[in-house]
Amino acid sequence: MTAGLPGSAEAGHNVAVTFETQHDLGPALPQPAWPPTGPPAGIDLDVLDEIQQRILWLAVRIVDAANHDRATGDGVKVGGHQASSASLVTAMTALWFAHLDAPDRVAVKPHASPVFHAIQYLLGDLDRSYLSRLRQRGGLQSYPSRSKDPDQVDFSTGSVGLGAAAPLFAAATRRYVDDHFGPRPRSRFIALVGDAELDEGNIWEAVADHATQGLGDSMWIVDFNRQSLDRVIPGIRIMQWTTQFRAAGWHVVEVKYGRRLQAKFAEPGGEALREWIDAMPNEQYQSLFALSGPDLRARFLDGAPDAVRPVVDAVSDEELAPLVQDLGGHDLAAMLAAYAECDAVTDRPSIVFAYTVKGWGLPTAGNPRNHSALLTPDQVAVLRARAGLTADTEWDRFDPTSPAGVLCHVRREHLQRPPRAEGLGVAAPEATGIRSGKPTSTQEAFGRVLVDLSRGELAPYLVTTAPDVATSTNLAGFINRTGVYNPDEKRAWNEDPVLKWAEGPGGQHIELGISEMNLFLLLGQLGLSWDLSGQPLIPVGTVYDPFVCRGLDALIYSVYSGARFIVAGTPSGITLAPEGGAHQSTITASIGLELPGVTFIEPAYGVALDWLLCDAVGRIAAGHHAAPTAQPAEEGAFYFRLTTRPIDQAPFEAARQRIGDALLRRQVLAGAYRLVDASALAAQGAPVVHLVGSGAVLPEVLTAAAELADEGIAAHVVDVTSLDRLYGAWQRTLRQGVRTATTPSVPGALRAVFPDRAPVVTAHDAASHAMAWLGSALGVPAVPLGVDAFGQSGTVAELYELHDLLPGSIVNAALAALALG
Ligand SMILES: Cc1ncc(C[n+]2csc(CCOP(=O)(O)OP(=O)(O)O)c2C)c(N)n1
Ligand SMILES: [Mg+2]
């Protein structure tokens, strides 16, 4: 059988305790015995307790109001998490009212968002009107949201596991910023984590990576309530978790028992009581929370050794329930002591396992089904009365002259932050002037542009990262110039004439282990450095394109958080022909196109890539509140889908001659330009078709156009450099039409490159669906060609043949499109 609250490996350990939020701790501090025996200096635990009781009430009532005070009219349950909130009330009260400093940054467990908002309200940073607007449009978000909540959320959370890792990467970012731009005021990066979140793999990827080692300003607080969504967890695995964190180099603290239980353990026979609680199955222990009086006594003693009975007999019925539930995670002094202990450990991250009760103080405490259980209005009324409130006063803040009111004011002042940093104020060049005499791949051009940028004004702000694919995605040139980041100077043992892997605090490439989750989490935090570390950066990451999907949730997380960065998915598609199906990406273009906050870009030619990359860098450098010209949809990341296929650059140079750089650049940035203009043939009365390609498949499209011309068919070739921008332009005009009930016009970006009404063939080294909408946008027949099955190993031509992307198939598709017209 599994033990309920198994003995800690560190039971009885001493901790360094200081109750000031002290950063430079200097010489070793006195080591009071664990647990702390009295209130920490300068902190009135009674006042803190009064505050935490009010926070508990408000958190419960915020969820209650969302469900019971408003009619939604749609039959859909509103929901919310009172038990998960209650669990963290003590930990969060201790943080905000006695531990945090203004520069500290905290990620809040998604289901504790009502607690966070209750705290912001009591501090005076959230208007009262929001308290009854949880889960309402324009109101408080269900889960903490940087972009949508009205109060200042440091880290969005919601997809469990990511909210734990994000502050760790924010701390890694701060270390980088301090090393490159001088130290900022110290921030502690804190995550409040649900215990079941530890099942998420991304947690362990983050903990294991070299980039997060030694981050002494990081602290995780695990809400160790031993319940997940579905159940009371049978094997709570505390030994396993603590051992794993220690093995990863973390400092581990367990806050297991409160002072009541500790005192009882110290009495004669108390050791037997402790042993029994430690040995009791978790399910049995949790079932005690719903009981009282003789029932509780009987259940508690069920299976207990004889030695326990006299200790329990000496406890009255009224005392027994609070005693049994007296876990350290609800002991303010114990939590503050744990935080102080973590502060004193500055050479590695810390984790606090705070033993808690899910539903603490509520009638749902410990119930296996309490995750989304809502208190009834009657139960809420009992709580209201218990809090000393009435229907008229239930939302009130503390009287400002009361000790609790004074502490709220003091803490509010203490936590005020300076305004956030704006953009860099350094402009990006329009182009680095990449030359394209010979066949070039977009991956190659990407590497060259980065090297060039590393010589310019923006150089100090560029930071690259990759999950063990830096050299194979062509970051080597950049790394040679800037070095690899490591907090300490490292001696190089190999003389490599091609790659200079010099590691030190000045390096500008952050190398990650193979974890695409970590890549997107780090990019996200580098891309929020303007806010969380007061230093805008220009982060650039690379990843094999098929593995974008591996890190997708973290990518979504980062862009939802408002991060600004560039990522190159390279190589991509079946153009990576010899690598076979396991390494070929097909749906990533759709992901890039469809993800909000991501501008998807897929150039074919080096110069186009140069313009697009410089433009993206410039937009990021312009700052969070992007350049005035930027569309709102581009307040986010830029995703370049690139390849290793060298292609002839001459057709682009011809288009340059024909169109001129100024106009061509504008069109490339807007999403498409006419690579081949067949107007002369069309003027002679030839049938007209549009061949539209994106990325590596352009050579086949060009050959098809030439063959069609030989057949007397005028085939304009359009190179789509950003499906996303084209689609966005189309959607905007459509939506405008829908909203104003007017006939939508064809957007300028489409009209400029598709002046003729003619059938369309699309060709893409990606799922055919991603470009298929063009027919609809232009109101013409369309034949979309693309990769709609897994690829296999072969040559480019062999695989293009397999997926109907060879010129012959494109010609046939053009004839089919004309026939459909
Ligand atoms: C990635 C992801 N998977 C599933 C969920 C649904 N979910 C929300 S909370 C939860 C259980 C969380 O348990 P725990 O972290 O222990 O939190 P607590 O007990 O404090 O509520 C689950 C499965 C989610 N939010 N994110
Ligand atoms: Mg839990």
Side-chain angles (χ1 to χ4, degrees), residues 68 142 174 184 268 293 311 338 354 382 389 404 410 458 490 588 646 708 713 740 770 793 797:
H68 296 132
S142 315
R174 174 64 65 86
R184 303 295 189 252
V311 191
V382 171
L389 298 166
V410 167
L458 285 167
K490 275 182 77 178
T588 48
L708 285 165
I713 295 171
T740 55
S793 300

Side-chain angles (χ1 to χ4, degrees), residues 81 83-84 87-88 109-111 143 158-161 193-198 200 223 225-230 233 358 371 553:
H81 301 87
S84 301
S87 206
L88 269 179
K109 182 185 78 167
H111 299 73
Y143 308 115
S159 177
V160 298
V193 186
D195 50 352
E197 292 194 57
L198 298 180
E200 286 286 4
D223 180 0
N225 59 29
R226 305 161 317 284
Q227 286 191 246
S228 56
L229 188 157
D230 277 338
I233 300 167
K358 189 158 174 170
H371 184 77
D553 201 30

Side-chain angles (χ1 to χ4, degrees), residues 64 140 144 361 363 682 691 772:
D64 176 65
L140 299 175
L691 305 185

